[in-house]
Amino acid sequence: MKKLIATIVFLCSFFCLYSQQISDETIKVALVYKILQNLEWDKEQNIRKYNIAVLTESNSLLENFKKLEDRKLKEKPISVIGLKNLNKVPAEIQVLYLDDKHSFQTDEVLKTLQKDILLVSDMAPDQRYVMINLLRKENKISFEIHKANLINAGIAPSSSLILLGGSEIDVAKLYKETQSSLESEREKVKLQASEISRQRAEIERQNKEIERQQAEIAKQAAEIEKQKLEIAQQREEIAKQKLKLHQLSNDIETQSKLLAEKASLLQKQTSLVEEQEKILNQQKDELEKRKSHLSNLLAEIKKQEEKIQEQRNILKQQDIQLNYQRNLIYLSSVIIFLFAGMIFFIYRNYRNKKKSAKILEQKNQQIEEQLQIISEQQNELKQKNEELLASEEELRQNLEELQAIQERLAEQNVLLSQKNQQILYSIRYAQTIQKAVLPTKEERCRILKESFLIYLPKDIVSGDFFWISQHDNLKIVGVIDCTGHGVPGAFMSLIGHSILNEIIVQNKVYNPAEILNQLHSQVIQKLNQAAGKNKDGMDLGIAVLDYSDNKIKLHFAGAKNNLILFSKHQLIKINGDRKNIGGDPNSTRSYTCHTLEVFPDDVFYLASDGFADQANPSRKSFGSHRFTKLLEEIHARSFSEQKEILLQELKLHQQYAEQRDDITLMGIKV
């Protein structure tokens, strides 16, 4: 006993003298070793080797504990095991050491620790859950003992353990403190119980609300599933209709060629009909002239017949008079001798009568000549009548041919009308498909704070389209003008929309310049422009609103398209690159990204060239300068007023002139 006390005193002196030279870890390990020498386990005789588990992150502390393996504890070997956490604590250990960084876990460890295992902690905050707890008092390392916890663990401390510099924990005082702490904890528990009851009631209410919402969600989920099924069916239908549209487009192309040929034939036939109508009109005029001439001849013949009749009446009278004179001559010859004096007179009168007869004969010859002339004229009239009858027959045949041509033209017009109706139906269905791929008004209102859209296709379907999408803190808008309008432009717009969807949505490319670069490459690839003569492409402007930072940034890139911005009511025009998309497979193009800071309520506009290029009846276009000036005048007004003014100005300018191109204009407020 005296030797033990002397050893302890020596060790204490040694620790006091060389505490500044020896590290705290070495002192702690030596102190733990001495403490273990003064403890007895219930079944110590069954222990063949003392296993010490050390939970620490300090390699130097673990190395100091490892040095104990060179020693023996109560004539038995020592094994030291390093632990990084408490998940894998070996079962065959006698000592578990927790360094100062893990000693706050003593309450949890003590509850789960098996019997016959000594818990050594370092600066544990709660004395209730310690066995041996190392302390630092006045820059000296000591320890405290919780005897009750040691005994409960089946470990008995020796009476000389306190002489090593330790102190026994006052259990009674600790019990009172614990009771006081328990009372306060009970009050807290009561308050917490009351709060828990209230929270339970609230939870029950929330559970009921959750159940109601779950029922509503289930109902909505069923509705969503139904809508998904309908959408799937609609997608299948759209796919079928796209295939049908593709077939119809081929049919339309074939019919267009056929119609072009028929139109050419019809134009030729129309020209022929017009020529025949001219000939017919000329013949009609000639016939009218001939009829007029014939009427004049008939009138002349009638006059001559009337003269002949008059002359015949005169001749008849003269014949009667001649007969009378002959009778008188016969009578005179009888009484000649009786009237000898009258012979000379009768002879002279006879000569006069003879002269009259000669004159009558001459007149008869003249009448015969006139009758012969009339006969010749009648023959000529007969011949002309026959010619007129032949002309009338030829005209009748021409009229019948014209009537047959008109009937064929009417049939072809009916066929053309039917084909036109079929083509019109196909184009209207294509319009439905084009509208299906464009953003709806609801999507536009959901993504953009405030905006307006003017979308006026030249024909039923459009070569213009617009893009609106949101990706986290980025909002992307664009206006795209494809080559052509009508059905060819619409096909080009569907190709452009599909490529943009692949670049932005699938490949997640959000830089506007890079979007244009990839779009240019894919348009050339999709249209096989490297192998063919296809030069189609598109002009567009892409704007990206970036809300990622405290400052709002606007990124813009354009292909032959500009952006008009009014920032704090100041006009800023950002010009895009003068290079279109597609068309030239041999060119390597790189587009420019313009970035600037914008502010809430700033307004910017994207538009195709249709508005500025629209002509009036005098073929004068609206003009980009006038368009920009108009936007500058109205940009501070509400978007509904702006849209109404723009449409009114366009109508006043266009009047009755035909729309030249598709028109798309979008205004966006930041």
Side-chain angles (χ1 to χ4, degrees), residues 448 450 452 475 477-478 542-545 547 554-556 563-567 572 574 598 601-606 631 635 639 642 665-670:
L448 301 175
E450 286 186 57
F452 76 88
K475 296 180 180 181
V477 293
I542 295 286
V544 179
L545 281 171
Y547 294 89
L554 175 64
H555 310 284
F556 172 75
L563 181 142
I564 299 173
L565 168 67
F566 293 95
S567 181
I572 301 173
I574 305 174
V598 292
D601 296 330
D602 283 356
V603 180
F604 66 92
Y605 302 88
L606 291 170
L631 290 178
H635 78 276
F639 275 160
Q642 291 187 41
L665 168 61
M666 191 185 303
I668 301 101
K669 181 175 284 188
V670 178

Side-chain angles (χ1 to χ4, degrees), residues 40-100:
E40 293 181 4
W41 279 259
D42 285 347
K43 298 178 181 180
E44 194 170 278
Q45 65 277 5
N46 296 331
I47 298 173
R48 296 181 180 180
K49 180 172 64 174
Y50 286 95
N51 295 312
I52 302 174
V54 180
L55 179 60
T56 182
E57 296 177 359
S58 173
N59 292 328
S60 59
L61 179 61
L62 183 61
E63 289 296 326
N64 280 306
F65 269 103
K66 286 283 188 181
K67 291 178 181 179
L68 294 179
E69 293 179 346
D70 298 333
R71 299 184 182 185
K72 290 187 177 182
L73 180 61
K74 300 179 182 180
E75 302 301 325
K76 294 179 181 180
I78 299 173
S79 175
V80 178
I81 305 167
L83 301 177
K84 296 297 183 183
N85 54 61
L86 292 170
N87 295 332
K88 296 181 180 180
V89 178
E92 298 297 328
I93 63 171
Q94 284 73 42
V95 180
L96 175 60
Y97 176 85
L98 305 180
D99 67 0
D100 54 355

Side-chain angles (χ1 to χ4, degrees), residues 221-238:
E223 185 68 24
I224 289 169
E225 288 297 325
K226 183 179 177 182
Q227 291 177 356
K228 284 182 178 178
L229 182 60
E230 291 177 356
I231 290 169
Q233 293 174 351
Q234 289 176 357
R235 284 179 176 171
E236 291 178 0
E237 185 65 23
I238 288 171

Side-chain angles (χ1 to χ4, degrees), residues 582-604:
D584 187 0
N586 299 320
S587 67
T588 303
R589 297 182 182 171
S590 178
Y591 293 90
T592 307
C593 180
H594 304 271
T595 301
L596 67 161
E597 183 182 358
V598 292
F599 305 93
D601 296 330
D602 283 356
V603 180
F604 66 92

Side-chain angles (χ1 to χ4, degrees), residues 103-229:
S103 291
F104 66 90
Q105 297 175 289
T106 54
D107 54 343
E108 298 176 4
V109 175
L110 192 63
K111 291 175 184 177
T112 58
L113 206 60
Q114 296 179 4
K115 199 173 181 180
D116 297 333
I117 296 177
L118 172 67
L119 177 62
V120 180
S121 56
D122 188 355
M123 301 294 291
D126 196 340
Q127 293 178 332
R128 293 175 295 171
Y129 304 106
V130 301
M131 293 183 188
I132 302 295
N133 187 33
L134 301 183
L135 302 172
R136 177 178 288 279
K137 293 181 180 180
E138 298 178 356
N139 295 326
K140 293 181 181 181
I141 297 174
S142 61
F143 62 92
E144 59 183 0
I145 305 167
H146 197 303
K147 195 172 183 180
N149 288 341
L150 284 171
I151 293 170
N152 289 335
I155 302 170
S158 65
S159 57
S160 60
L161 187 60
I162 301 301
L163 296 176
L164 288 174
S167 61
E168 186 175 353
I169 296 172
D170 190 346
V171 178
K173 181 179 178 182
L174 187 61
Y175 176 76
K176 288 180 181 179
E177 291 175 354
T178 304
Q179 286 296 111
S180 175
S181 177
L182 284 173
E183 287 296 330
S184 62
E185 290 295 330
R186 285 193 185 98
E187 291 296 327
K188 291 180 181 178
V189 167
K190 287 180 181 179
L191 293 173
Q192 290 175 353
S194 175
E195 181 66 20
I196 288 169
S197 299
R198 186 186 67 78
Q199 290 179 355
R200 280 179 179 170
E202 181 67 20
I203 289 168
E204 289 179 0
R205 186 187 67 78
Q206 291 179 356
N207 284 335
K208 291 180 180 179
E209 181 67 20
I210 289 169
E211 289 175 356
R212 185 187 67 78
Q213 291 178 355
Q214 286 176 343
E216 185 69 23
I217 289 169
K219 183 178 178 181
Q220 292 177 355
E223 185 68 24
I224 289 169
E225 288 297 325
K226 183 179 177 182
Q227 291 177 356
K228 284 182 178 178
L229 182 60

